[in-house]
Amino acid sequence: MKASIALALLLLAGCSTLTLAPSDFAWPIMSELTADKNGNVKEERYHLSFNIKPLLFEELKDSVNVAGKSLSVIRDRQGFYYVTGPKFKKVYIFQHTTDGLGLSTSYEVQPAGLSNPEFEQRPPNIRLRSGRDSWLLTRHGVTTPPAPSGGAK
Amino acid sequence: MKGLKILSALAFVAPLALLMPSFAASQERSDFQTVKAFEAQTKTVAASIDAVQTVQECADVALAIDRIQEEFTPSKGLLDKALYGEKFDERLSRLRFQLKLAQDKLGIIESQVTRIAELEEQVRALSGEVERLSGENLKLMGDVERLSGNIRTLGESNAVTGALVDSLKMVIGQLQKGIKERDQMIFALVDSLFQQYAKPVDQLADVEKRGLALRMDRNNIVTGVKTSIENNLKFLERAELKGSDLAAILQEHQRFSSQWKGLGPKLASLYLSNKQKAKELAVVDTLLAAWSAKARDAYWRGMNAAFSSKQIVVKPIASGNELVSNVTAYINERLTSERPGDEKLKEFNRFDALWQAEMTNGWLPLMESRGDLSADQRKLVEAKLQEWRESFEGTSPLTYAILFAVIVAILAALYVKMKKK
């Protein structure tokens, strides 16, 4: 009995995750990615590429006219991707999965649609600016109500 | 080939001119826009370095790099993280090194570039001053209008206060000073621009001429000169100006005209092939002629106003000759008039006070300097005034004593003669 308990403990220790911390996945500056005719976007600096058709369909109900459509993307310290674009009402939070970028969550920020959205690093938050408005975001939602740009730091 | 050089100069200076710092805008910029602007500006500078041909162009690039540094230093932290492959300081050092290589290739000495860059900085500062003074002068002109309006309105009900008149005088004084300062700044700015080229305009190469012309345009020199004349014209039209104000304006006109005489032909030679600019220069000449005419009109108007403001009825004067003849006629009339002595003395005192206050130190030297009055003419009119002054000087007691002694002597002689008979 004692031997089997010791074996089980040994097996559990062997399966525990090795974590390298602290870690920082943040991009210092957002990227503006433009889709090609197939809906693919590419981030040269970080060697990242993905297809935005499903996202455009989800947000704009249009996955046909995708060529030239642009998205604003930034990554926070934990490695979550914040994605939005012109005319989007929502911000989408993605994370890596083995199949691609998987949606973690999404939430509405501007019911009328964002005009020219830009993300900025404001640790521990991400700031979203659109025209004269700005919001402080986390991967769970908006932490502050809309404020004029420069107001929310 | 020549055309190509001119085009290359145009292609060179125009993009750099867009690199003026815009701090208000930079404060509003997002991180993304800041990085994008920095990338774009450093890219423009790098392209300009490849195109440099003259020492002035090298100085322009050196200044553009300085301006980028000045504008983006507050965002250094962000740029250090966001730039790909190099940091903020490294990017600027790379540009400076690239410029140094270009200079060496052209055989340009660093000290020349530094000197021209200093002059260009001076131009930038003066240009800012001109802009500031233009704004202030515009505001002062508005104040003069408002105060004059108040005085006119209140004048109808005899309610004009001394304080209001003093305020107007003060604002007019400030405006006059502001206009003069702005005129000086414009010419100082032009000097700083010409000093960057160590040769007379007609000896400059085409590419240098083009560069200088573009610098002139960038600083709105011709428009600035036009504005100066227009402001002076507007100021001259003010009815509230007194003799002393006008004398100062006329001096300013003389100074401005002689400076333009030096600058005008240089600009004409610079804009030889630019019809639009040639037209603008002609407009400056026309405006200057209008200013001359108005100044001349104001000159005599001011002098006649000096007499009429003291209720001294001298016939209108419009030349040095008329000053002598009309003042002489006025004094002669007073000398022969049959009025009580007190009244005549009062009239003399009023005239003499005005003469000493406004003519002796104001108008007469100005007339002499403009060649409107000769030294002999001045002596003549001053002698007439002296004659008038002497007419009030009574006979002295000594004269009476001598007269008495003479009469006594004559009587004594007569008495002795009669006694002998």
Side-chain angles (χ1 to χ4, degrees):
Chain A
M1 181 65 185
K2 274 183 184 174
S4 52
I5 290 172
L7 185 68
L9 280 173
L10 198 68
L11 282 173
L12 275 174
C15 291
S16 71
T17 318
L18 176 66
T19 305
L20 304 181
S23 57
D24 186 355
F25 299 98
W27 292 358
I29 192 85
M30 77 155 212
S31 287
E32 196 176 50
L33 307 178
T34 306
D36 64 14
K37 61 180 181 184
N38 299 318
N40 293 320
V41 293
K42 210 171 185 182
E43 215 311 317
E44 302 282 352
R45 182 169 171 180
Y46 302 106
H47 304 284
L48 170 75
S49 66
F50 53 93
N51 191 286
I52 64 167
K53 272 185 181 177
L55 178 62
L56 292 180
F57 186 76
E58 172 73 21
E59 176 72 28
L60 305 171
K61 304 291 175 236
D62 179 7
S63 58
V64 179
N65 302 307
V66 292
K69 287 269 190 308
S70 69
L71 291 181
S72 303
V73 184
I74 201 165
R75 201 173 183 199
D76 71 8
R77 295 174 92 164
Q78 287 78 37
F80 288 91
Y81 294 92
Y82 293 62
V83 183
T84 192
K87 297 183 187 167
F88 275 41
K89 295 172 184 172
K90 289 178 170 180
V91 168
Y92 294 82
I93 316 293
F94 289 95
Q95 63 188 115
H96 279 296
T97 67
T98 47
D99 301 324
L101 285 180
L103 184 67
S104 167
T105 183
S106 68
Y107 46 83
E108 189 172 278
V109 283
Q110 180 67 282
L114 298 161
S115 57
N116 190 21
E118 288 180 3
F119 290 116
E120 293 175 337
Q121 287 291 348
R122 289 293 179 271
N125 302 108
I126 294 289
R127 178 158 78 169
L128 171 66
R129 294 168 69 135
S130 172
R132 297 174 62 82
D133 294 328
S134 77
W135 300 262
L136 282 180
L137 314 176
T138 67
R139 67 188 160 96
H140 304 294
V142 180
T143 63
T144 60
S149 282
K153 296 236 171 188
Chain B
M1 187 66 192
K2 201 172 170 185
L4 271 176
K5 274 192 172 180
I6 291 171
L7 274 175
S8 93
L10 260 171
F12 173 80
V13 183
L16 284 185
L18 300 174
L19 301 188
M20 299 301 278
S22 51
F23 294 108
S26 66
Q27 278 175 358
E28 289 293 316
R29 273 198 301 235
S30 66
D31 290 358
F32 182 64
Q33 296 300 338
T34 302
V35 176
K36 247 170 89 168
F38 180 79
E39 292 277 17
Q41 292 193 21
T42 50
K43 203 173 162 191
T44 304
V45 166
S48 301
I49 293 172
D50 292 338
V52 287
Q53 291 179 26
T54 63
V55 62
Q56 288 78 18
E57 289 172 354
C58 290
D60 269 350
V61 174
L63 278 175
I65 299 172
D66 290 347
R67 282 174 197 157
I68 290 175
Q69 181 164 24
E70 193 183 339
E71 183 178 349
F72 290 96
T73 293
S75 309
K76 186 178 177 297
L78 169 73
L79 290 164
D80 277 346
K81 282 193 236 161
L83 294 178
Y84 191 36
E86 62 187 344
K87 295 199 167 186
F88 172 75
D89 288 334
E90 288 166 356
R91 174 78 57 94
L92 296 181
S93 299
R94 180 165 59 82
L95 290 175
R96 289 200 171 98
F97 182 68
Q98 199 183 329
L99 175 64
K100 177 83 176 52
L101 287 179
Q103 281 169 209
D104 291 348
K105 202 171 146 193
L106 292 167
I108 291 166
I109 307 161
E110 183 64 31
S111 62
Q112 282 178 288
V113 177
T114 311
R115 170 74 187 129
I116 291 169
E118 278 168 9
L119 284 166
E120 194 56 32
E121 271 301 294
Q122 214 168 303
V123 165
R124 189 178 156 197
L126 286 166
S127 190
E129 270 298 282
V130 168
E131 207 168 301
R132 182 186 66 78
L133 284 165
S134 301
E136 276 180 18
N137 290 347
L138 201 68
K139 187 188 162 294
L140 286 168
M141 274 191 194
D143 289 348
V144 169
E145 285 294 332
R146 187 175 46 79
L147 285 167
S148 304
N150 288 350
I151 287 177
R152 268 196 302 275
T153 314
L154 292 169
E156 286 162 14
S157 52
N158 289 327
V160 179
T161 62
L164 197 58
V165 174
D166 286 347
S167 300
L168 179 61
K169 269 187 197 167
M170 196 185 76
V171 178
I172 284 179
Q174 284 174 343
L175 178 59
Q176 194 168 2
K177 191 169 160 264
I179 289 177
K180 193 176 168 186
E181 272 177 20
R182 189 187 175 282
D183 293 351
Q184 285 168 351
M185 294 287 169
I186 281 277
F187 285 106
L189 207 161
V190 174
D191 280 348
S192 300
L193 285 171
F194 277 114
Q195 276 172 33
Q196 295 178 25
Y197 297 80
K199 287 180 268 182
V201 176
D202 50 6
Q203 287 175 24
L204 292 177
D206 278 350
V207 67
E208 289 175 317
K209 271 191 186 174
R210 198 65 221 155
L212 179 55
L214 283 167
R215 282 174 154 72
M216 293 279 173
D217 293 350
R218 203 159 69 191
N219 291 287
N220 295 318
I221 296 299
V222 180
T223 312
V225 170
K226 261 164 61 183
T227 309
S228 278
I229 302 175
E230 280 163 358
N231 285 347
N232 278 288
L233 271 169
K234 266 188 214 161
F235 188 63
L236 258 178
E237 283 158 6
R238 307 273 352 143
E240 297 82 1
L241 299 178
K242 298 286 173 285
S244 50
D245 299 328
L246 285 165
I249 294 173
L250 293 169
Q251 276 163 350
E252 178 59 15
H253 169 255
Q254 263 184 316
R255 202 184 54 77
F256 196 101
S257 296
S258 69
Q259 281 182 305
W260 178 250
K261 255 184 209 166
L263 174 64
K266 283 186 197 170
L267 290 180
S269 149
L270 205 59
Y271 291 123
L272 213 55
S273 53
N274 185 334
K275 282 184 186 170
Q276 180 58 35
K277 281 286 166 199
K279 266 186 198 169
E280 282 185 44
L281 290 179
V283 171
V284 172
D285 285 332
T286 311
L287 280 171
L288 203 60
W291 186 11
S292 295
K294 278 242 165 72
R296 190 149 192 88
D297 170 57
Y299 173 53
W300 299 117
R301 177 162 58 92
M303 183 183 295
N304 290 316
F307 288 113
S308 60
S309 67
K310 303 283 177 203
Q311 286 81 46
I312 295 167
V313 197
V314 173
K315 276 188 191 164
I317 296 161
S319 69
N321 271 336
E322 283 183 8
L323 173 82
V324 178
S325 59
N326 295 356
V327 168
T328 303
Y330 175 82
I331 294 176
N332 281 340
E333 205 179 297
R334 269 39 206 177
L335 283 170
T336 54
S337 75
E338 302 279 332
R339 279 188 294 171
D342 278 3
E343 248 180 60
K344 286 169 93 173
L345 184 61
K346 264 187 196 167
E347 212 163 26
F348 168 76
N349 285 337
R350 199 165 62 228
F351 187 94
D352 194 40
L354 164 85
W355 193 267
Q356 304 307 331
E358 296 209 26
M359 302 302 281
T360 306
N361 295 320
W363 289 105
L364 297 186
L366 182 65
M367 285 179 81
E368 283 180 307
S369 71
R370 288 168 61 100
D372 287 329
L373 188 73
S374 68
D376 287 345
Q377 283 175 317
R378 182 171 178 164
K379 270 182 199 161
L380 265 177
V381 73
E382 283 180 337
K384 196 71 203 172
L385 181 63
Q386 183 58 23
E387 184 189 330
W388 192 11
R389 184 177 293 115
E390 282 170 2
S391 75
F392 294 101
E393 287 168 3
T395 317
S396 73
L398 182 70
T399 316
Y400 282 117
I402 293 167
L403 213 64
F404 180 74
V406 170
I407 291 168
V408 168
I410 292 168
L411 287 174
L414 283 173
Y415 175 73
V416 171
K417 209 174 178 183
M418 280 173 70
K419 215 173 176 184
K420 276 183 183 171
K421 279 182 184 174

